[in-house]
Amino acid sequence: MLTIHPADPHSVAVALNVVIDWPAVAFIGMDDGQFVGSGGLAWGSDRCWLWFAVLDSKPEYAKPVMRMAKLLFRKAEQLGESTVYTVRDQKFATSARLLKLTGFRFVAVEDGQEVFACDLRKASADVGV
């Protein structure tokens, strides 16, 4: 069963072999004691970004991920944000559908990446999990 826990952004960056050099809040997903993914909020380039990375996707992770998105939206709103941005993970065919379900809409292609935005005022009313 997937459980989600707060984590130190630096530890997450080391585990994923990525750089997180913006202010961030991070969470990790564990399933049966195994690290299966992470996500959180990061602030940079004058935007608040939601990020999510999964090592092994399973259909049963969808509901906890949706709940986590809603929690992160509330956190961003509490910190004064009105919009959250994200980049679509093109490795997963279902990523566009997941973004739509969580309230994101396509806004632009920037540096070769599809950027999506979510209006938090609308999302808090629409995302029902």
Side-chain angles (χ1 to χ4, degrees):
M1 180 168 120
L2 178 67
T3 57
I4 299 173
H5 310 275
D8 169 51
H10 176 73
S11 299
V12 172
V14 169
L16 294 174
N17 195 28
V18 298
V19 175
I20 300 175
D21 56 2
W22 291 341
V25 294
F27 295 85
I28 59 168
M30 302 290 290
D31 189 357
D32 198 26
Q34 297 295 315
F35 175 81
V36 295
S38 64
L41 298 170
W43 288 265
S45 299
D46 295 324
R47 293 178 177 169
C48 176
W49 296 88
L50 183 140
W51 55 273
F52 176 72
V54 63
L55 301 178
D56 182 27
S57 181
K58 294 183 180 178
E60 61 265 26
Y61 295 169
K63 210 168 206 177
V65 167
M66 295 286 287
R67 277 193 215 111
M68 196 65 211
K70 190 168 184 171
L71 182 133
L72 290 169
F73 288 164
R74 280 195 302 259
K75 179 71 143 175
E77 212 167 16
Q78 290 169 350
L79 294 170
E81 301 295 339
S82 60
T83 305
V84 172
Y85 296 85
T86 195
V87 173
R88 184 174 81 83
D89 189 341
Q90 296 179 16
K91 288 188 302 189
F92 296 100
T94 58
S95 64
R97 186 177 71 185
L98 182 61
L99 289 174
K100 184 177 179 182
L101 286 171
T102 53
F104 283 94
R105 63 179 168 64
F106 174 78
V107 291
V109 173
E110 297 176 5
D111 298 324
Q113 299 283 331
E114 294 179 22
V115 176
F116 287 71
C118 181
D119 179 335
L120 296 179
R121 294 165 298 235
K122 186 172 178 352
S124 40
D126 289 349
V127 178
V129 177

